[in-house]
Amino acid sequence: MNEKMPMITKAQAEEIAGTYPTPFHIYDERAIRENARRLKKAFSWNKGYKEYFAVKATPNPFILQILKEEGCGTDCSSLTELMMSEAVGLRGTDIMFSSNDTPAGEFTKARELGAYINLDDFTHIDFLEQECGVPETVCCRYNPGGVYEVSNGIMDNPGDAKYGFTKEQLIEGCQKLMKLGVKNFGLHSFLVSNTVTNDYYPALARTLFSLAVELKEKTGANIAFINLSGGVGVPYRPGQPANDIEVIGEGVRRAFEEIMIPAGLGDAAIFTELGRFMLAPYGQLVTRAIHEKHIYKEYIGVDACAVNLMRPAMYGAYHHITVLGKENRPCDHKYDIVGSLCENNDKFAIDRMLPEIEMGDLLVIHDTGAHGFAMGYNYNGKLRSAELLLCEDGSVRLIRRAETPQDYFATFDFSGLFRG
């Protein structure tokens, strides 16, 4: 079962805060590397397997460098993500460009880098051709429509999602792309976010493998790879069972052997684009209690806010909280843990049972390694925090400094405001 443990002690946190004031995000290098190796092992049965880390989850070049050293590429969806990948030395087939509603110029950058291009829509074929020409290998994103179900019930409703080709569009699109010189195809689909079940990836694999066979039969397309994208999630609540990546990899292998190999597609590579699974459990937000309020409820105000972690405010998402130094004390006080934004949804926890919190206590908010810092913004003029790396040798490294007011004002030109 899943337990939630802080990666640093109260003493370590206080020492770090002496140099890098709270709030800050901190990531565990050793755990990130170990998880990447588990994933690679789970899919080692496929000779072409590669993980393309979803940069949007944790867009930090130091994190990308760690994953690059572990054999991962990047999944990019914007110009700046492509540029960040390039900055850490990734090029060519180490990059998957999976965008949608793609602005002009971004396909050009992807082609300049030699990245795989994953088209989201039939109309993007002409857009790509006109902008920068069509490469010999193209991936297409599939949307099956309707609702998507696995053995444990309905997972999501792809029919309401903005992404992907219909099957009919895929067939026509492959035929059109082959006329434009495409020789190799990839298939991609992202249907469900943050699944905590071992069934999702094998079920998606069967869907895409069957589609690959059908496309080959109807168009003669050479299917070079199947991209299962993301969706393998993490347990945010203590005691919630975690996914078993070895079981997931084995489920995909069985589907591959049953569907792909008999159809002559046994050489196709399997790709994944995981973000949350790769990083979420290995990052934590450290914040300090700075105010308490006693009205109709008991409130603890901390120096972090939704700028540092938007998920609870945006989705009502649960993130576990540990009060450092009080891990073994009874959780006998009910609090709302809040930030300082002028928005009532700026709450990290509502009616959360925790040990008694005193001013100055340090709190760890768990599982912020993906879609944590990345979703930050500057509402109320709030500034983004520092990001730190807990290195394998136990040292702490600054991998992104905290923003300053000078950063916030840097995009303004005040000169025109004060003319006589």
Side-chain angles (χ1 to χ4, degrees):
M1 297 296 282
N2 159 53
E3 295 184 14
K4 301 294 181 186
M5 301 295 293
M7 69 177 71
I8 52 176
T9 64
K10 179 181 180 180
Q12 288 175 307
E14 290 287 8
E15 182 179 358
I16 294 167
T19 303
Y20 308 111
T22 56
F24 55 79
H25 286 270
I26 186 166
Y27 307 96
D28 186 340
E29 179 184 4
R30 183 183 299 277
I32 293 168
R33 290 186 184 276
E34 290 175 351
N35 188 54
R37 292 167 191 171
R38 284 194 296 270
L39 173 66
K40 188 175 181 179
K41 180 181 178 183
F43 285 89
S44 61
W45 53 266
N46 181 264
K47 63 182 180 181
Y49 172 73
K50 193 172 186 70
E51 157 62 15
Y52 290 85
F53 173 67
V55 178
K56 63 181 176 286
T58 318
N60 187 297
F62 292 87
I63 299 296
L64 301 190
Q65 179 63 33
I66 290 169
L67 294 172
K68 176 189 172 188
E69 291 170 5
E70 297 299 331
C72 301
T74 52
D75 159 38
C76 300
S77 56
S78 70
L79 175 63
T80 48
E81 291 180 357
L82 286 168
M83 294 170 69
M84 187 178 293
S85 298
E86 182 182 20
V88 299
L90 292 168
R91 296 185 67 91
T93 56
D94 285 331
I95 301 174
M96 180 75 62
F97 185 56
S98 298
S99 66
N100 69 94
D101 192 21
T102 308
E106 297 196 356
F107 282 138
T108 299
K109 182 63 176 179
R111 285 220 63 187
E112 174 191 319
L113 292 175
Y116 285 129
I117 290 177
N118 182 25
L119 295 178
D120 180 65
D121 185 68
F122 182 84
T123 64
H124 290 183
I125 297 172
D126 289 339
F127 188 83
L128 175 65
E129 182 190 17
Q130 292 163 12
E131 179 177 312
C132 57
V134 177
E136 289 190 353
T137 299
V138 171
C139 186
C140 295
R141 187 172 191 168
Y142 173 53
N143 184 331
V147 297
Y148 199 74
E149 298 182 63
V150 295
S151 60
N152 57 350
I154 294 174
M155 302 298 293
D156 213 329
N157 187 356
D160 282 344
K162 66 176 182 176
Y163 307 112
F165 293 61
T166 67
K167 182 187 289 188
E168 293 73 18
Q169 289 174 334
L170 267 180
I171 293 169
E172 184 181 352
C174 283
Q175 293 168 334
K176 182 172 184 175
L177 285 162
M178 284 191 289
K179 291 178 181 178
L180 292 171
V182 174
K183 297 179 180 178
N184 304 298
F185 287 88
L187 288 178
H188 170 283
S189 195
F190 177 78
L191 303 181
V192 183
S193 180
N194 193 38
T195 62
V196 188
T197 168
N198 295 330
D199 296 335
Y200 169 61
Y201 247 17
L204 173 62
R206 288 181 179 277
T207 297
L208 289 180
F209 295 165
S210 297
L211 178 61
V213 173
E214 184 175 351
L215 281 175
K216 178 188 175 185
E217 292 173 349
K218 291 184 176 180
T219 70
N222 178 45
I223 309 299
F225 62 84
I226 304 291
N227 187 339
L228 299 176
S229 188
V232 177
V234 299
Y236 284 95
R237 294 177 181 271
Q240 184 181 9
N243 285 320
D244 187 328
I245 198 62
E246 291 189 4
V247 171
I248 291 171
E250 175 62 16
V252 175
R253 184 193 65 77
R254 287 198 299 269
F256 189 88
E257 292 186 351
E258 291 172 17
I259 300 170
M260 296 288 278
I261 290 177
L265 293 172
D267 290 333
I270 300 298
F271 297 160
T272 54
E273 293 176 344
L274 299 170
R276 196 186 313 266
F277 178 82
M278 298 297 288
L279 256 295
Y282 314 118
Q284 297 175 352
L285 175 60
V286 180
T287 183
R288 194 180 295 275
I290 58 173
H291 286 288
E292 56 186 328
K293 185 169 185 174
H294 316 284
I295 49 172
Y296 307 106
K297 302 179 76 172
E298 294 295 302
Y299 294 93
I300 297 294
V302 295
D303 58 7
C305 63
V307 163
N308 309 108
L309 179 65
M310 188 194 290
R311 294 185 74 252
M314 187 175 185
Y315 306 126
Y318 180 95
H319 281 263
H320 196 61
I321 296 175
T322 296
V323 184
L324 287 177
K326 299 182 178 180
E327 292 87 344
N328 297 318
R329 295 191 188 180
C331 294
D332 53 5
H333 285 65
K334 184 187 292 186
Y335 296 114
D336 281 15
I337 308 297
V338 304
S340 59
L341 293 187
C342 296
E343 293 289 342
N344 195 47
N345 66 353
D346 183 20
K347 298 178 179 180
F348 295 112
I350 298 173
D351 294 333
R352 185 73 59 87
M353 298 304 296
L354 292 164
E356 183 178 9
I357 298 174
E358 301 167 276
M359 294 304 92
D361 278 352
L362 288 169
L363 282 64
V364 165
I365 304 177
H366 293 258
D367 300 312
T368 68
H371 309 290
F373 182 97
M375 296 177 72
Y377 56 112
N378 286 123
Y379 184 64
N380 274 166
K382 295 293 184 178
L383 304 174
R384 293 176 179 86
S385 68
E387 290 182 292
L388 310 177
L389 183 67
L390 178 62
C391 300
E392 288 188 288
D393 63 5
S395 64
V396 173
R397 182 181 185 185
L398 179 68
I399 59 173
R400 190 195 304 260
R401 66 167 175 81
E403 286 184 337
T404 67
Q406 289 75 22
D407 297 320
Y408 181 79
F409 290 113
T411 55
F412 293 107
D413 180 0
F414 289 99
S415 61
L417 289 177
F418 307 109
R419 295 171 183 168

